[in-house]
Amino acid sequence: MIKRLFILFTIIFITANLAAQQYGNEWINFGQKHYKISIPNTGLYRIDYNTLVNSGIPVSSINPKNFQLFIKGQEQYININDESDNVFNTTDYIEFYAKKNDASFDSSAYTNITRLPNPYIALFNDTNYAYLTWNGSLSNKRVQRETDVNFVGYTAATYFYNEKIEAYKNSYSLGKTYLGVISDPRYMLGEGSGFNINKGSSEQTNFSNLNIYPSNLPVYIKTSYSGASENYVSGITYDHQIKFLYIDNLGNTVSVNDTTFMGVNQFYIEKQLTANQLQNSSQIIVSSENNPLFASIPNAIHLTNVHYISIKYPQVPDLSNASEQQFYLNNASVGSKAFLDIQNVNVGTSQVILYDLTNHKYIPTVVSGSNVKALVPNSSSQKECFLTTTNNINTVNLLTPVNQTGFFVNYYTTNPDSAFLIVTHKSLQTQANLYKQYRETLLGGSNHVIMADIDDLYDQFAYGNTKNPLAIKNFCKYLSDALAVPPNYLLLIGKSIQNSDVRINSNNWNANKVPTFGHPSSDNALTAGIHGANSITPFIPVGRISAKMEQMSPII
């Protein structure tokens, strides 16, 4: 009995462990075509009939209800104009809201952290990607269209919440260093983008008119910062003193947090104020104090990296002539819907569009000059809403089929045990193919070779996030877990450049054929920490031929 229970427990544990694995390709249906859409900015996107046709999508044979859209592996709620007739007509379009890339996916690159230093700035690429596909279902995710514009009996909301975020990428902190110059190739505590300040200096927000609603309502201010230097001072146990401050309604600078710490530590600070403590010109400040105890530390080597500063506060429903705003709306205290009466919207000759993003609803509006009215149904929580005009819509002009065919490669169906993996770039494909063929011969070791194009790996294992080494790491992790016998070797064919030097330099971006991992660069880190291996030991032995062009890669 005990033995049976043990076997049952083992099966459950293994099943649960496999189910918990995340590779980035769980959302893919390998039998469906997928078309890639670039998302460089946060906002509303629209794909019209002509763009679909010109991209090679057989619109005439697809019921519009069959369309699906995925971003970062999650199906999105989309709005398809007039899909009820089951025909995608020439005046129809697909509309959806999307955010530019952030660091949410990059979190799996880090080791031993509980919170991202800068969740708003991606490590490798600011552009996000969406994937359009279609299936046989008539119940794919759709935005629900509200119709009520009868405002009689409703009292207008006196405020909604606005959030302003300043996320910095002026400098890059390596986290903890050894001997002052050597950093861990893994992404560690405090590593990421920010703005470096020296002792005696500060970083202050540059928020425009807050249009704050004066009240006792709560205001939330947040920051994340990390020590970016380490200097030992005799007689004290810290070398940084950081204050978190705000400018109040009287113009005074008020401290809400004072922290001392040693070296490379990472801090997330959140404080609550009330709206009547602020004024429209209030700003938030992170200050590195010029503590007399630090007198022996030269300013140039005393660094703190401020990752971001944010404020979430109640705002008067007035857009001050802006044509677009994201905001958060509480439920109406009386009635089933919140009545929005928003002033000074820069409508011009365009149409106003309003979405309840939290509950996936399209909200109709009534516009009179620069005044916009709408009814937003109550829900279980505060709603994130997005108001914009048709002039601000990002028109999609191109959809690109993944892998040129529209179909993802199902690497698992090849199912070779003890595989020899090759990852290369399209520009090096001819020589890489010759080497693959050689490795499959008796002279080359009779290997079972799986060769992958790095662009396909970006799409399949990194949600399209170009130059992200997690594409390779997740590919190796997937095959190591899926195959009966894990791969034996990984060969990278293509030049790599240190990641922190790639995103800021277009020449480096183009020259970086097959990315590496970390700072300093470490190909071994690409397979460390997978399939039960520890975070510093490669599970699959890794090699690289650092070729820039095929003439430089005579590998057999």
Side-chain angles (χ1 to χ4, degrees):
M1 180 64 179
I2 293 174
K3 184 176 181 181
R4 289 178 181 175
L5 285 173
F6 176 77
I7 293 172
L8 178 61
F9 173 79
T10 302
I11 292 172
I12 292 172
F13 176 79
I14 292 172
T15 303
N17 188 51
L18 287 174
Q21 300 297 325
Q22 293 294 316
Y23 311 107
N25 67 345
E26 291 84 358
W27 61 280
I28 294 170
N29 184 325
F30 290 97
Q32 295 176 197
K33 284 190 172 184
H34 296 78
Y35 285 73
K36 186 176 180 179
I37 304 159
S38 175
I39 310 293
N41 304 299
T42 296
L44 208 59
Y45 286 76
R46 187 176 286 184
I47 314 169
D48 64 19
Y49 174 90
N50 288 331
T51 298
L52 292 172
V53 171
N54 294 337
S55 299
I57 296 175
V59 177
S60 60
S61 62
I62 301 174
N63 185 324
K65 294 176 181 175
N66 298 155
F67 280 116
Q68 294 177 285
L69 189 86
F70 289 86
I71 298 177
K72 289 189 175 177
Q74 300 297 316
E75 185 178 358
Q76 304 298 299
Y77 288 82
I78 58 178
N79 180 20
I80 300 186
N81 183 56
D82 195 26
E83 71 173 355
S84 58
D85 62 359
N86 299 323
V87 176
F88 202 100
N89 300 298
T90 56
T91 56
D92 292 346
Y93 54 80
I94 301 172
E95 188 173 88
F96 62 95
Y97 171 85
K99 294 182 178 181
K100 74 172 189 176
N101 197 29
D102 56 24
S104 55
F105 175 59
D106 298 338
S107 61
S108 58
Y110 281 84
T111 300
N112 297 332
I113 67 165
T114 57
R115 185 185 294 272
L116 283 168
N118 194 336
Y120 303 106
I121 304 296
L123 287 174
F124 309 103
N125 188 351
D126 290 331
T127 302
N128 206 355
Y129 291 91
Y131 294 86
L132 184 71
T133 184
W134 58 94
N135 58 18
S137 174
L138 300 178
S139 57
N140 294 312
K141 291 188 175 181
R142 293 294 183 267
V143 168
Q144 178 184 335
R145 297 182 71 92
E146 293 290 320
T147 58
D148 189 4
V149 290
N150 182 3
F151 308 119
V152 176
Y154 288 97
T155 301
T158 53
Y159 70 92
F160 50 65
Y161 267 84
N162 187 13
E163 185 174 33
K164 291 180 180 286
I165 301 166
E166 287 192 4
Y168 308 109
K169 54 181 180 180
N170 307 63
S171 56
Y172 187 89
S173 175
L174 297 175
K176 187 174 180 62
T177 59
Y178 303 89
L179 302 178
V181 291
I182 304 171
S183 60
D184 194 316
R186 299 170 296 175
Y187 292 93
M188 303 293 285
L189 188 76
E191 181 166 357
S193 296
F195 187 93
N196 275 340
I197 56 175
N198 307 97
K199 66 174 182 177
S201 64
S202 62
E203 178 60 17
Q204 177 175 305
T205 56
N206 189 29
F207 298 144
S208 56
N209 179 19
L210 295 178
N211 234 345
I212 199 159
Y213 175 67
S215 61
N216 287 320
L217 289 167
V219 172
Y220 307 95
I221 59 173
K222 303 176 186 178
T223 187
S224 172
Y225 56 82
S226 303
S229 61
E230 189 170 69
N231 299 278
Y232 290 94
V233 179
S234 177
I236 60 173
T237 58
Y238 57 92
D239 67 341
H240 290 77
Q241 181 181 3
I242 305 298
K243 287 186 177 181
F244 191 33
L245 314 102
Y246 72 96
I247 299 174
D248 71 6
N249 59 327
L250 299 176
N252 299 317
T253 301
V254 181
S255 174
V256 292
N257 192 81
D258 190 342
T259 304
T260 58
F261 61 93
M262 182 68 201
V264 179
N265 263 301
Q266 180 181 315
F267 292 88
Y268 167 79
I269 308 296
E270 178 177 356
K271 294 295 178 180
Q272 183 173 318
L273 313 172
T274 57
N276 55 18
Q277 292 177 277
L278 302 175
Q279 58 181 315
N280 289 338
S281 60
S282 287
Q283 303 294 336
I284 315 299
I285 304 166
V286 175
S287 173
S288 180
E289 296 299 291
N290 193 8
N291 190 316
L293 296 174
F294 306 155
S296 62
I297 306 174
N299 275 21
I301 62 169
H302 186 281
L303 298 172
T304 300
N305 200 21
V306 182
H307 302 295
Y308 70 88
I309 305 172
S310 72
I311 181 172
K312 186 176 182 181
Y313 65 97
Q315 178 188 318
V316 174
D318 188 318
L319 263 56
S320 301
N321 204 38
S323 60
E324 184 171 281
Q325 183 164 335
Q326 199 152 324
F327 58 91
Y328 300 84
L329 184 64
N330 290 335
N331 289 336
S333 56
V334 177
S336 61
K337 298 176 182 180
F339 174 29
L340 283 173
D341 188 359
I342 305 175
Q343 306 298 315
N344 296 314
V345 181
N346 187 355
V347 178
T349 58
S350 61
Q351 295 177 314
V352 174
I353 301 172
L354 176 62
Y355 279 94
D356 171 355
L357 300 175
T358 301
N359 300 292
H360 320 295
K361 293 182 177 182
Y362 175 90
I363 309 297
T365 59
V366 174
V367 179
S368 176
S370 62
N371 169 251
V372 176
K373 295 180 179 179
L375 291 173
V376 182
N378 289 346
S379 61
S380 60
S381 61
Q382 189 181 64
K383 297 163 285 294
E384 182 180 9
C385 299
F386 183 71
L387 184 146
T388 190
T389 66
T390 48
N391 282 345
N392 295 322
I393 289 176
N394 297 278
T395 301
V396 177
N397 295 313
L398 177 68
L399 291 86
T400 307
V402 301
N403 215 19
Q404 298 181 316
T405 64
F407 291 103
F408 284 100
V409 177
N410 189 345
Y411 294 99
Y412 178 68
T413 59
T414 55
N415 199 28
D417 292 339
S418 307
F420 190 118
L421 307 181
I422 297 176
V423 177
T424 190
H425 188 269
K426 283 184 178 64
S427 62
L428 305 170
Q429 198 78 37
T430 302
Q431 286 289 328
N433 268 318
L434 291 174
Y435 188 71
K436 173 182 180 290
Q437 294 166 16
Y438 164 72
R439 275 298 181 184
E440 290 171 332
T441 67
L442 182 62
L443 183 63
S446 300
N447 292 278
H448 302 291
V449 180
I450 299 177
M451 190 165 78
D453 178 351
I454 186 60
D455 289 328
D456 182 58
L457 298 191
Y458 293 142
D459 287 332
Q460 184 169 165
F461 295 100
Y463 308 121
N465 193 206
T466 310
K467 309 300 182 183
N468 193 325
L470 287 173
I472 301 172
K473 194 177 189 77
N474 286 345
F475 169 64
C476 294
K477 180 181 178 183
Y478 173 69
L479 290 181
S480 296
D481 293 345
L483 300 178
V485 179
N488 278 344
Y489 309 101
L490 169 64
L491 177 64
L492 309 171
I493 302 178
K495 171 73 175 174
S496 71
I497 295 175
Q498 189 165 266
N499 292 312
S500 56
D501 294 333
V502 171
R503 62 173 292 153
I504 59 174
N505 185 300
S506 58
N507 290 330
N508 288 345
W509 178 274
N510 294 326
N512 187 32
K513 301 294 186 182
V514 178
T516 184
F517 195 95
H519 191 301
S521 301
S522 171
D523 287 340
N524 281 339
L526 290 168
T527 70
I530 68 172
H531 203 68
N534 63 48
S535 64
I536 59 173
T537 305
F539 178 71
I540 305 171
V542 186
R544 180 186 292 267
I545 299 171
S546 191
K548 296 180 181 178
M549 56 190 73
E550 288 205 306
Q551 291 87 337
M552 297 176 65
S553 56
I555 49 185
I556 59 170

